[in-house]
Amino acid sequence: MTFAKTSALIINKKLSSHFLILLLISVLIQLWPVFFTQPARFAVRIAICNGLLLLSAAAIYRCLPGKIITFVLLSLLTLNFAIAFNTWDVYQSEFNTVFAMSILATHLAEAKSMSGLYLHSLPVTIAYFFVTWYAIKSLSEHCSGRIKVVGVVLLVIFVAWYSTANWLKKRKDLEVYYPLSSRILTNTPFYTGSEFIIAQRDNALAARIAQQNVHYPALQYHETGIENYVVIVGESARRSNMQLYGFNQDTTPVESALAKSALIFSHAIAPASATVLAVPMILSKADPDHFTADKLADNIVSIARKTGYHTEWISAQGNSGKSNNYIVAIASTSQKTHWIDTKYDTELLPALDDALKTPGKKFIVLHINGSHEMACDRYPASAEILHTGNKYEDCYNNAIRFTDYFIGEVAKRLQGSASSLLYFSDHGLEKNPKLESLYMHGSRNPSKEAYDVPQFIWYSPSALASQKRELGWVQDYWSTANNYSLMLSWLGISTGIENCSSLLETCHQEQTLFSVMDGGRHIFDYDQLRDTFISPDRKTPWRVAKKNSL
């Protein structure tokens, strides 16, 4: 017997006699990136499912079909590990939908150019494959048939349990963002596959909205005397925490100074308490009862582009994920999109400067992080102006003030041209005294606080001089779900359809019913909601969206 064959037999024998150690090493290697990026409960679920999968593979390993199945299973486990490990190793991040979208969009040449980043992890990946293969082989040889059967039964119970639990949760929450298959994979060692499912679905959604053919009887642009239109989509700003609306702290000195040249909405109401639902409804014809692809396709970004505006979307909120998928579909209809990884919203300003240099009339959207939780992270130390002794109250109000500063920086850039600025928040926040951080998104039993938002339209001196503008305070209640109609009038666009939902049209009449949606897709009548989070529970009735809603 040759030395090589003898050595191989000795190594194989030693590995076989320590099959439990091999199993443990395999599971730990798979969990390596998980330990650094996910909570402990996630790692425990993955470890349990991984162990049961390897034991089940050992139960079928000895026959040829079993070896083929084991090879496929092990290849998928290795691929999952390679993706998660490289994401953590290179980017210090968990694998998410953004990475999945990037992989799906990558072509061969780009893959080759990027491969150098990941080659150093190849030895670890190969080691994982062979350690796991020997672990399965050793388990098949040394575990009793009863243990193997128990492993298969427990795996079936594990998958069935989490599948049923996630199915029930999906039904209870009316949550449609995470497909059931994605939820199930999240609890397995194939968890990166969950992000690919979401990425593929989001890509399909964007394509579906882009392919919708919206017909306008007579689309026309009418001269407005304004060259630059900028929309700031705020985030998690409570109207009641703004000095402009009577708050007792100096949170909005800039906006208060701009008020004399603005149309300010006293009682603006957001259509939803979550960004992913509110922003698309504000920018399109969709509403809580009709949240459909064709309504989302009829959006202000698309129609502004069709009427000759140069359109740009500049965002601090990322180009994928649960909070952005419908928003990205709308943003993608613009001529230029900028997804900027920012620490503070002011980092969007250079992109705005470049956009304003484009000749002709422009429609620019700035989607900021505003005062989203955790508010303490939304502004630099130099912007920590307000001090009352309550840390999280101060954090939130300083974040509101930093947004005010950002609005001022945008207004400075528009001051010397014929320009107009529309600012609104996507939704409000509820104040929960039981939370350390105080403020939270609208709950399953929301109050009006979750929907009460600021909104105003400001005009530069040149814009005010060119035409008569509506200024002052709008005292009527206003649903920002009607902002699509409002912006049509603001931009000087007519579609051939009467636009009486716009406050700027002579045919407008005050709205009396306001439908709002919580994050779980429950629809309420705003007037029936309790005033604040700490107000007595009214057990407000709710309904679901109309058929065909997304």
Side-chain angles (χ1 to χ4, degrees), residues 222 224 226 229-232 245 262-269 281-286 298-301 303-304 309 363 420-425 453-459 469-472 474 476-495 497-509 511:
H222 307 279
T224 63
I226 294 175
Y229 286 92
V230 176
V231 176
I232 298 178
Y245 289 92
L263 179 67
I264 307 170
F265 293 74
S266 300
H267 303 288
I269 302 166
M281 285 191 270
I282 293 170
L283 299 179
S284 75
K285 289 199 75 173
D298 190 356
N299 63 75
I300 195 64
V301 179
I303 200 170
Y309 279 92
F363 179 74
S420 185
L421 166 67
L422 167 62
Y423 166 73
F424 58 82
S425 180
V453 293
Q455 175 165 303
F456 63 81
I457 301 174
W458 171 83
Y459 297 95
R469 314 290 179 185
E470 287 197 39
L471 304 176
V474 178
D476 294 344
Y477 283 78
W478 172 264
S479 173
T480 57
N482 291 326
N483 276 10
Y484 164 84
S485 298
L486 179 74
M487 284 188 276
L488 285 178
S489 302
W490 182 50
L491 293 168
I493 299 172
S494 61
T495 63
I497 302 171
E498 199 171 34
N499 189 25
C500 294
S501 296
S502 170
L503 181 76
L504 301 178
E505 299 292 337
T506 56
C507 62
H508 173 73
Q509 293 183 345
Q511 187 176 346

Side-chain angles (χ1 to χ4, degrees), residues 205-280:
L205 173 65
R208 181 180 169 192
I209 290 176
Q211 290 166 2
Q212 293 284 328
N213 185 21
V214 182
H215 173 68
Y216 305 102
L219 190 60
Q220 289 184 321
Y221 165 74
H222 307 279
E223 181 57 50
T224 63
I226 294 175
E227 181 180 21
N228 304 311
Y229 286 92
V230 176
V231 176
I232 298 178
V233 181
E235 169 67 64
S236 303
R238 286 164 50 94
R239 188 170 66 227
S240 58
N241 285 61
M242 298 179 69
Q243 179 192 18
L244 178 66
Y245 289 92
F247 188 53
N248 60 6
Q249 293 189 49
D250 189 19
T251 54
T252 58
V254 172
E255 291 160 82
S256 298
L258 296 176
K260 63 181 182 299
S261 302
L263 179 67
I264 307 170
F265 293 74
S266 300
H267 303 288
I269 302 166
S273 60
T275 302
V276 68
L277 300 171
V279 173

Side-chain angles (χ1 to χ4, degrees), residues 28-271:
L28 288 176
I29 293 175
Q30 181 68 256
L31 291 178
W32 188 350
V34 176
F35 283 131
F36 296 101
T37 59
Q38 300 292 345
R41 65 181 183 277
F42 184 85
V44 170
R45 288 200 300 262
I46 299 302
I48 292 172
C49 188
N50 198 0
L52 293 176
L53 269 172
L54 299 186
L55 192 57
S56 299
I60 61 173
Y61 178 81
R62 292 197 171 189
C63 62
L64 181 60
K67 284 184 171 63
I68 295 172
I69 293 172
T70 298
F71 178 79
V72 173
L73 173 69
L74 183 50
S75 297
L76 292 174
L77 286 171
T78 304
L79 179 62
N80 184 91
F81 167 73
I83 291 171
F85 178 77
N86 279 302
T87 306
W88 169 75
D89 184 49
V90 176
Y91 303 102
Q92 296 298 298
S93 169
E94 76 279 3
F95 186 74
N96 56 40
T97 309
V98 176
F99 288 113
M101 280 187 159
S102 298
I103 291 173
L104 291 176
T106 298
H107 50 77
L108 184 59
E110 186 176 42
K112 286 181 178 178
S113 67
M114 293 286 289
S115 60
L117 286 172
Y118 314 115
L119 285 177
H120 70 281
S121 69
L122 196 59
V124 179
T125 304
I126 294 173
Y128 170 76
F129 181 91
F130 283 106
V131 166
T132 307
W133 181 272
Y134 272 104
I136 294 171
K137 182 177 182 295
S138 300
L139 284 169
S140 72
E141 294 170 351
H142 294 86
C143 283
S144 66
R146 176 178 291 182
I147 292 177
K148 294 173 187 175
V149 170
V150 169
V152 173
V153 172
L154 288 177
L155 177 65
V156 171
I157 292 173
F158 179 91
V159 174
W161 171 268
Y162 273 105
S163 299
T164 303
N166 280 306
W167 177 72
L168 291 173
K169 186 176 186 297
K170 185 177 175 67
R171 290 191 65 194
K172 180 180 179 181
D173 292 347
L174 299 179
E175 175 60 80
V176 298
Y177 181 74
Y178 293 112
L180 184 58
S181 56
S182 171
R183 289 171 177 260
I184 294 170
L185 281 179
T186 300
N187 301 294
T188 74
F190 310 110
Y191 55 90
T192 60
S194 170
E195 304 299 336
F196 283 104
I197 291 172
I198 296 170
Q200 184 61 39
R201 196 279 314 279
D202 282 3
N203 283 337
L205 173 65
R208 181 180 169 192
I209 290 176
Q211 290 166 2
Q212 293 284 328
N213 185 21
V214 182
H215 173 68
Y216 305 102
L219 190 60
Q220 289 184 321
Y221 165 74
H222 307 279
E223 181 57 50
T224 63
I226 294 175
E227 181 180 21
N228 304 311
Y229 286 92
V230 176
V231 176
I232 298 178
V233 181
E235 169 67 64
S236 303
R238 286 164 50 94
R239 188 170 66 227
S240 58
N241 285 61
M242 298 179 69
Q243 179 192 18
L244 178 66
Y245 289 92
F247 188 53
N248 60 6
Q249 293 189 49
D250 189 19
T251 54
T252 58
V254 172
E255 291 160 82
S256 298
L258 296 176
K260 63 181 182 299
S261 302
L263 179 67
I264 307 170
F265 293 74
S266 300
H267 303 288
I269 302 166

Side-chain angles (χ1 to χ4, degrees), residues 370-379 392 395 399 436-437 439:
S371 42
H372 192 281
E373 301 103 318
M374 294 290 293
C376 301
D377 299 329
R378 301 302 174 193
Y379 56 89
Y392 291 105
C395 281
E436 185 180 20
S437 58
Y439 296 105

